[in-house]
Amino acid sequence: MINLDLQGRRALVTGGSGGLGRAIAETLAAAGAQVAVHYRKGLDEAEAVVAAIQKLGGRAQAFQADVSDPAAVEKLLQEIESAFGGLDILVNNAGMDGPRASVSEDDPQVWEKVLAVDLMGPYYCARAAIPRMEKAKRGVIINITSVHEFIPWEGYSAYTSAKAGLSMFTKTLAQETADKGIRVVAIAPGAIQTPINQSVWADPQSLKDLDEKISMGRLGRPEEIGNVVAFLASDLASYITGTTLAVDGGMLIYPEFRHGG
Ligand code: NAD
């Protein structure tokens, strides 16, 4: 019997009020977890996710914080502990790609902001979660990186650097915590249809160009990431730590070689 049951597990999904985070929060709740739906701005959207989860009989609550602010993150973890009594699953999903600009034209403050959200944010959240997970001798941290932890992307050097950094952070943290009952893994999504890439999928020519970069020839759906998060968070994945799983429809396998080299 396959057991994906997350009953009794308490999860935090950062950036859980929309996009991939919403699908991840809903999937974890459907698997039985109690979910902290974190948002930075937009209580209404977070409350809509909570309501959708509760409508299906799940348990969820909305929490606000800026993940790039360490004091706000510590307060967030305290609030979740008071409300849920602990934390078993942390999904570091909140992120931004920032505006497109070459390195010589980039605004260093914007570069720093992307690093602060995409790399420092997961670090602050993990840092606050680990002592709590250690006490319980169990925990799973899932970092949402990107295929851009592997693929360079012109104009997005802060994003690619942050995601590659988050990948190595995943491995190092996994090594540090493996004997404490904590697993740390990363998921590298390919192109998944969410607000972050709306300018691409809303334009037919850009969408066609993007589809050609994907072996399966289509964008992914948010629930296709949510399902993998639920699996990695569950005991079915009990021997997986310190690695990145690409969920990308075959973007990383050189789709341009489909029709000969
Ligand atoms: P999105 O823009 O819909 O969601 C990003 C979330 O991060 C939002 O909820 C936003 O409020 C939150 N956020 C941004 N800055 C924050 C801050 N300072 N503090 C707290 N929260 C903050 O995009 P998405 O596609 O759902 O992306 C989710 C994650 O998946 C990101 O880390 C992104 O890099 C990654 N990703 C997405 C794709 C894709 O194709 N959609 C591909 C690869 C990786």
Side-chain angles (χ1 to χ4, degrees):
M1 180 95 152
I2 296 285
N3 186 6
L4 194 85
D5 192 3
L6 296 178
Q7 290 284 344
R9 311 283 166 99
R10 293 127 326 165
L12 163 60
V13 181
T14 67
S17 58
L20 292 188
R22 177 175 184 147
I24 293 167
E26 291 182 347
T27 311
L28 289 176
Q34 186 176 13
V35 180
V37 178
H38 156 269
Y39 68 101
R40 182 177 54 118
K41 281 191 202 152
L43 173 62
D44 289 354
E45 285 164 7
E47 292 290 12
V49 179
V50 168
I53 289 172
Q54 288 172 342
K55 203 172 161 200
L56 294 174
R59 289 188 303 162
Q61 195 175 319
F63 296 86
Q64 194 281 332
D66 179 343
V67 297
S68 65
D69 174 348
V73 168
E74 182 50 40
K75 187 167 160 276
L76 169 70
L77 269 285
Q78 278 168 15
E79 285 169 3
I80 293 170
E81 189 161 290
S82 302
F84 291 4
L87 185 72
D88 308 287
I89 300 163
L90 164 64
V91 185
N92 280 314
N93 164 77
M96 60 186 288
D97 51 14
R100 181 178 171 203
S102 64
V103 171
S104 58
E105 287 161 2
D106 228 342
D107 175 348
Q109 283 182 339
V110 175
W111 219 89
E112 269 183 34
K113 179 69 191 167
V114 174
L115 267 284
V117 175
D118 292 4
L119 186 56
M120 297 307 288
Y123 163 73
Y124 294 137
C125 291
R127 216 175 163 268
I130 283 164
R132 295 167 161 98
M133 291 177 171
E134 274 180 8
K135 225 186 289 169
K137 294 190 175 59
R138 75 170 186 193
V140 183
I141 297 175
I142 298 172
N143 295 321
I144 305 298
T145 61
S146 165
V147 285
H148 293 297
E149 73 162 83
F150 305 105
I151 305 176
W153 191 15
E154 180 270 332
Y156 293 94
S157 59
Y159 185 71
T160 55
S161 302
K163 294 299 190 179
L166 185 55
S167 166
M168 190 48 86
F169 177 64
T170 301
K171 293 182 175 78
T172 307
L173 186 61
Q175 204 184 52
E176 281 182 17
T177 57
D179 61 353
K180 300 186 172 92
I182 300 171
R183 294 187 293 109
V184 190
V185 287
I187 293 175
I192 316 295
Q193 189 165 350
T194 72
I196 210 173
N197 45 27
Q198 183 166 4
S199 62
V200 179
W201 51 259
D203 173 59
Q205 187 54 47
S206 306
L207 179 61
K208 189 170 168 285
D209 289 349
L210 180 56
D211 283 347
E212 281 171 7
K213 296 187 174 80
I214 307 166
S215 299
M216 288 185 178
R218 67 163 177 89
L219 298 191
R221 297 183 292 274
E223 62 271 22
E224 292 179 307
I225 301 297
N227 291 340
V228 179
V229 171
F231 161 68
L232 288 175
S234 78
D235 293 341
L236 289 178
S238 55
Y239 205 50
I240 302 179
T241 197
T243 192
T244 295
L245 182 58
V247 185
D248 67 346
M251 206 179 210
L252 287 172
I253 52 172
Y254 303 96
E256 59 274 33
F257 277 76
R258 269 174 301 184
H259 310 299

